[in-house]
Amino acid sequence: QVQLVESGGGAVQAGETLRLSCAISRSGFSLKTMSWYRQAPGKERELVATLSSDKPSNYGDSVLDRFTMWRENRKDTVWLQMNSLKVEDTAVYYCNVEATRFGRTYVHSYWGQGTQVTVSS
């Protein structure tokens, strides 16, 4: 199974920074794609950033040049550094991974429980 545990959310002022982490447990699985999504109240879930082994990192237009995502391979952890936070960044942030069982091709999708980020003016 794959389990994701997010941490690092909180309440900050506009212009400040936060760093989110997503610890991945993946016994018997190979990771294909790792992503951060967010969902604000009354809005659809949107892609924030995505990272895969065979493609360049990709960021949503609203966070480009402010957010950075990377993977710490040794700890199987993905991070999201959020700089210059804006009020409109307020949302629940979710970690998502797509993974395959070793030797298989079917891609499974897993979600973390979400972590709240609140940015006030």
Side-chain angles (χ1 to χ4, degrees):
Q1 268 292 7
V2 175
Q3 293 183 323
L4 310 177
V5 178
E6 299 131 333
S7 62
V12 297
Q13 299 281 332
E16 294 184 341
T17 65
L18 277 175
R19 181 178 291 185
L20 306 182
S21 67
C22 174
I24 304 168
S25 299
R26 59 179 182 97
S27 178
F29 282 81
S30 175
L31 299 179
K32 298 302 180 184
T33 303
M34 295 140 282
S35 304
W36 285 97
Y37 286 79
R38 68 185 182 186
Q39 188 166 20
K43 295 187 176 181
E44 293 186 355
R45 192 169 294 189
E46 66 169 338
L47 177 67
V48 175
T50 191
L51 183 67
S52 62
S53 59
D54 58 351
K55 296 178 183 178
S57 301
N58 186 48
Y59 295 90
D61 290 341
S62 61
V63 305
L64 196 60
D65 297 328
R66 297 189 299 122
F67 290 11
T68 303
M69 178 181 180
W70 72 96
R71 177 184 177 183
E72 187 176 354
N73 291 333
R74 184 173 57 89
K75 292 184 178 180
D76 247 351
T77 300
V78 291
W79 299 85
L80 183 68
Q81 176 71 33
M82 305 186 293
N83 298 333
S84 303
L85 281 162
K86 303 177 180 180
V87 172
E88 50 265 40
D89 293 320
T90 296
V92 178
Y93 284 71
Y94 296 91
C95 179
N96 170 264
V97 301
E98 294 182 340
T100 58
R101 292 185 182 274
F102 291 151
R104 304 288 181 89
T105 58
Y106 183 81
V107 180
H108 301 261
S109 181
Y110 296 93
W111 293 88
Q113 80 284 359
T115 185
Q116 177 70 47
V117 172
T118 303
V119 185
S120 57
S121 58

